[in-house]
């Protein structure tokens, strides 16, 4: 679900758009002019803006320019009549995300909104440079693997060579693509970003190359594709491995010849586009499996950039945490001063399958519910706490105990039989597990029993045996 703002002076169109978007689970609000839309954007909370180009007072283009000054990452979809398609294309080159024509096709609108929501979600997880001395190219990281990435960006940004960025999901591939474009001589022209996985396979050709009026059902007018919109600039194709085989041949020709035809068209269109592609797949394995063309791979892989996963750059976790804390202090109106050393140790011990995107989600969620001005171990999710050092998972809870949970400190192994040692170790392990479960459930005995896989009565008996019934965690 996304919060959508519709700006149009036609009341009926506002009602139709709102009803259609509500059916898809979104939360639309509508205003009748650009000034009201600008006020709503300033108040925040808007994920997508849909605006008419022709409105009394402030036009759609004027609104677009002002919105970009307030929130440059806000996707703006413009609505235009057939006679103003050229104006819509100009809007795209000025930063609009997409456009639809009147009378609009419902599926075309839905596709545009889905792509915009996907782009907004990705951009909301990107880390922007706020003058942090530990960042470079608006990317946070000082690990050796990242310095290699920075060096490649410096060397290839000014060239027209194709770049293939590989790495797991959440490692920041789009950030690298933006850095290359921003440092190139094409930076005054647009960078057009396309998530190939978000486009239905039967629509991907028209998205890339555009279409002419009447090319297929619903093509009530002509529309330029992403290659045309990126002319003079950069085209970033994310998740390139999702492109079907039938489309790979046409993409290869467009890259080699710098020309193509729109769907349903006969006129050859020439463009000057620098291509950057990205994927989280192993394309060599896809080639072996027959899912990806080898000639297209070598055309894309002129300059390879491999982004390391977060687990291979653990030294950057502290820098990233500091940056995310600063970011969400502003966004959530919090005043978190930092993170406790034991909590940071737990973060560094975690394997991070979702990489930087997962880390950012964890920090945002943790800051939402943190009760002190520092992130504590018990604020972190259970799976991350479990991955941390054993003595750090529950430092505060263990400090309240009058006896340590250490077999060596509670039993003199030199004067006990093996049977006694095993029995005592079992008792202490049971007690440690119960203390941990009670802490994770905030003292809820029923939930703790469920976590431990025993009955509530059985847990109460063990708590009595271990002297835990009067402790703060169980109240």
């Amino acid at each position: 679900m996304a919060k959508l703002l519709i700006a149009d002076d036609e009341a009926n169109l506002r009602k139709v758009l709102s009803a259609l978007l509500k059916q898809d689970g979104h939360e639309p609000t509508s205003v009748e002019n650009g000034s009201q839309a600008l006020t709503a954007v300033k108040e925040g909370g808007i994920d997508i803006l849909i605006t008419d180009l022709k409105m009394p007072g402030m036009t759609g283009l004027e609104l677009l320019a002002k919105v970009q000054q307030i929130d440059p990452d806000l996707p703006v979809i413009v609505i235009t009549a057939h006679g103003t398609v050229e104006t819509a294309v100009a809007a795209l080159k000025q930063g609009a995300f997409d456009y639809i024509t009147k009378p609009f096709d419902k599926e075309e609108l839905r596709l545009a909104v889905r792509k915009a929501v996907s782009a907004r979600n990705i951009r909301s997880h990107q880390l922007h440079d706020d003058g942090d001395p530990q960042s470079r190219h608006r990317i946070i990281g000082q690990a050796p693997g990242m310095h290699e990435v920075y060096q490649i960006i410096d060397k290839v940004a000014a060239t027209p060579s194709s770049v293939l960025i590989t790495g797991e999901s959440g490692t920041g591939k789009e950030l690298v693509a933006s850095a290359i474009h921003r440092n190139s001589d094409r930076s005054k022209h647009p960078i057009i970003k396309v998530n190939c996985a978000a486009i239905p396979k039967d629509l991907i050709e028209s998205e890339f190359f555009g279409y002419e009026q009447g090319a297929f059902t619903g093509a009530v007018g002509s529309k330029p594709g992403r290659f045309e919109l990126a002319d003079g600039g950069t085209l970033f194709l994310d998740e390139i491995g999702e492109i079907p085989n039938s489309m790979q041949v046409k993409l290869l020709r467009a890259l080699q010849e710098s020309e193509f035809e729109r769907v349903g068209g006969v006129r050859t269109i020439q463009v000057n586009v620098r291509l950057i592609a990205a994927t989280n797949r192993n394309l060599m394995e896809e080639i072996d499996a027959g899912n990806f063309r080898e000639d297209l791979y070598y055309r894309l892989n002129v300059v390879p950039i491999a982004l390391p996963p977060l687990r291979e750059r653990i030294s950057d976790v502290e820098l990233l945490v500091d940056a995310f804390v600063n970011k969400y202090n502003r966004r959530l109106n919090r005043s978190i001063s930092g993170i406790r050393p034991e909590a940071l140790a737990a973060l560094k011990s975690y394997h991070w399958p979702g990489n930087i995107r997962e880390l950012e989600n964890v920090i945002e969620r943790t800051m939402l519910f943190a009760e002190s001005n520092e992130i504590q171990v018990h604020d972190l999710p259970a799976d991350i706490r479990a991955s941390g050092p054993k003595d750090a998972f529950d430092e505060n809870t263990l400090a309240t105990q009058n006896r340590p949970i250490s077999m060596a400190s509670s039993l003199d192994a030199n004067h006990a039989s093996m049977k006694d040692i095993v029995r005592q170790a079992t008792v202490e392990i049971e007690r440690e597990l119960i203390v941990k479960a009670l802490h994770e459930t905030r003292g809820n005995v029923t939930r703790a029993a469920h976590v431990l896989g025993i009955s509530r009565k059985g847990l109460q008996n063990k708590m009595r045996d271990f002297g835990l019934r009067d402790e703060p965690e169980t109240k």
Side-chain angles (χ1 to χ4, degrees):
M1 184 186 73
K3 293 184 178 180
L4 308 177
L5 176 63
I6 302 167
D8 198 295
D9 58 323
E10 295 183 27
N12 288 335
L13 185 59
R14 294 198 302 270
K15 291 180 181 179
V16 170
L17 287 172
S18 296
L20 181 62
L21 295 170
K22 282 182 180 178
Q23 291 176 2
D24 290 346
H26 299 300
E27 185 180 331
T29 58
S30 61
V31 294
E32 61 184 18
N33 57 54
S35 297
Q36 294 176 355
L38 189 61
T39 299
V41 171
K42 288 180 179 178
E43 292 175 352
I46 303 299
D47 296 315
I48 310 293
L49 170 62
I50 302 175
T51 179
D52 193 5
L53 279 180
K54 299 292 185 180
M55 292 185 293
M58 185 185 299
T59 67
L61 285 178
E62 292 171 339
L63 174 60
L64 172 63
K66 293 182 181 296
V67 165
Q68 286 184 319
Q69 295 176 359
I70 300 170
D71 185 355
D73 288 336
L74 179 66
V76 179
I77 300 173
V78 298
I79 305 174
T80 180
H82 293 315
T84 58
V85 170
E86 293 78 9
T87 308
V89 173
L92 290 173
K93 292 188 175 182
Q94 292 178 28
F97 181 81
D98 205 345
Y99 77 88
I100 55 177
T101 56
K102 298 178 183 178
F104 64 87
D105 178 76
K106 292 181 180 179
E107 290 308 314
E108 182 183 14
L109 171 66
R110 283 174 166 146
L111 176 61
V113 171
R114 283 200 302 270
K115 290 188 297 183
V117 170
S118 176
R120 181 66 166 177
N121 289 338
I122 291 173
R123 291 174 184 175
S124 68
H125 291 96
Q126 289 180 351
L127 188 60
H128 295 282
D129 181 11
D130 295 316
D132 193 314
Q134 301 294 343
S135 69
R136 184 174 171 188
H137 293 306
R138 301 187 183 178
I139 304 170
I140 298 292
Q142 293 296 311
M146 294 307 298
H147 281 291
E148 295 178 8
V149 172
Y150 300 149
Q151 290 172 3
I152 296 175
I153 293 174
D154 292 337
K155 290 180 179 179
V156 307
T159 73
S161 301
S162 298
V163 177
L164 178 62
I165 307 170
T166 58
E168 297 177 8
S169 178
T171 51
K173 295 186 287 294
E174 187 172 343
L175 282 176
V176 174
S178 297
I180 293 173
H181 174 75
R182 192 167 48 248
N183 289 276
S184 72
D185 55 4
R186 297 171 178 264
S187 59
K188 294 182 180 180
H189 297 276
I191 175 172
I192 303 298
K193 302 176 181 180
V194 183
N195 186 338
C196 300
I199 305 174
K201 289 181 170 37
D202 56 343
L203 296 179
I204 197 164
E205 182 177 1
S206 60
E207 281 293 315
F208 279 5
F209 305 129
Y211 56 82
E212 298 291 355
Q213 182 176 356
F216 49 82
T217 302
V220 295
S222 60
K223 184 175 183 178
R226 301 300 176 178
F227 268 82
E228 280 182 78
L229 297 176
D231 188 21
T234 303
L235 180 64
F236 174 55
L237 300 182
D238 198 7
E239 304 298 347
I240 190 73
E242 302 293 335
I243 295 180
N245 278 330
S246 58
M247 186 62 207
Q248 292 176 24
V249 179
K250 297 178 181 179
L251 176 59
L252 178 61
R253 174 183 175 258
L255 294 176
Q256 289 178 335
E257 307 297 332
S258 297
E259 61 182 30
F260 58 90
E261 293 80 34
R262 290 180 179 175
V263 177
V266 295
R267 181 172 64 92
T268 299
I269 300 173
Q270 293 186 335
V271 291
N272 175 17
V273 172
R274 198 264 183 85
L275 184 76
I276 302 176
T279 181
N280 57 13
R281 294 189 179 188
N282 186 322
L283 292 186
M284 292 305 296
E285 292 181 357
E286 296 296 314
I287 291 172
D288 293 339
N291 298 326
F292 203 83
R293 291 181 61 92
E294 187 173 10
D295 48 3
L296 177 58
Y297 171 76
Y298 289 117
R299 181 65 184 80
L300 296 172
N301 196 39
V302 177
V303 178
I305 298 180
L307 287 181
L310 184 55
R311 62 182 173 275
E312 294 180 6
R313 42 181 294 212
I314 291 299
S315 60
D316 286 337
V317 168
E318 186 171 2
L319 299 177
L320 291 164
V321 169
D322 289 343
F324 291 139
V325 168
N326 290 333
K327 175 179 179 179
Y328 287 103
N329 271 334
R330 296 191 299 270
R331 182 170 296 184
L332 304 176
N333 195 26
R334 296 301 306 270
S335 56
I336 302 296
S337 61
I339 182 169
R340 294 286 300 166
E342 58 272 14
L344 181 62
L347 293 177
K348 289 184 175 181
S349 299
Y350 187 60
H351 61 288
W352 297 111
N355 293 292
I356 299 173
R357 186 175 298 140
E358 182 184 7
L359 174 61
E360 181 173 1
N361 288 337
V362 167
I363 297 301
E364 179 182 5
R365 183 168 65 249
T366 299
M367 291 179 63
L368 278 170
F369 297 101
E371 297 178 355
S372 67
N373 64 349
E374 284 187 305
I375 296 176
Q376 310 279 344
V377 171
H378 60 76
D379 294 323
L380 301 174
D383 54 343
I384 295 179
R385 292 200 305 270
S387 70
K390 185 177 181 181
D391 59 351
F393 83 92
D394 199 11
E395 184 182 75
N396 294 333
T397 300
L398 296 182
T400 66
Q401 308 299 321
N402 293 324
R403 50 197 173 283
I405 303 180
S406 170
M407 183 178 72
S409 63
S410 60
L411 181 66
D412 185 353
N414 293 326
H415 297 85
S417 67
M418 181 180 294
K419 193 173 185 179
D420 291 335
I421 295 174
V422 172
R423 183 185 300 112
Q424 183 65 23
T426 302
V427 169
E428 294 191 2
I429 290 173
E430 281 188 341
R431 189 179 190 283
E432 180 178 351
L433 291 173
I434 290 172
V435 169
K436 182 177 180 181
L438 289 170
H439 179 72
E440 290 180 354
T441 60
R442 305 295 188 190
N444 188 309
V445 177
T446 302
R447 289 175 54 200
H450 178 73
V451 170
L452 294 169
I454 61 177
S455 67
R456 188 176 190 277
K457 184 64 175 177
L459 176 57
Q460 287 177 324
N461 290 336
K462 287 185 178 294
M463 289 168 60
R464 183 188 63 239
D465 295 341
F466 294 143
L468 297 174
R469 300 218 39 184
D470 294 327
E471 294 190 1
E473 290 84 3
T474 62
K475 288 183 178 179

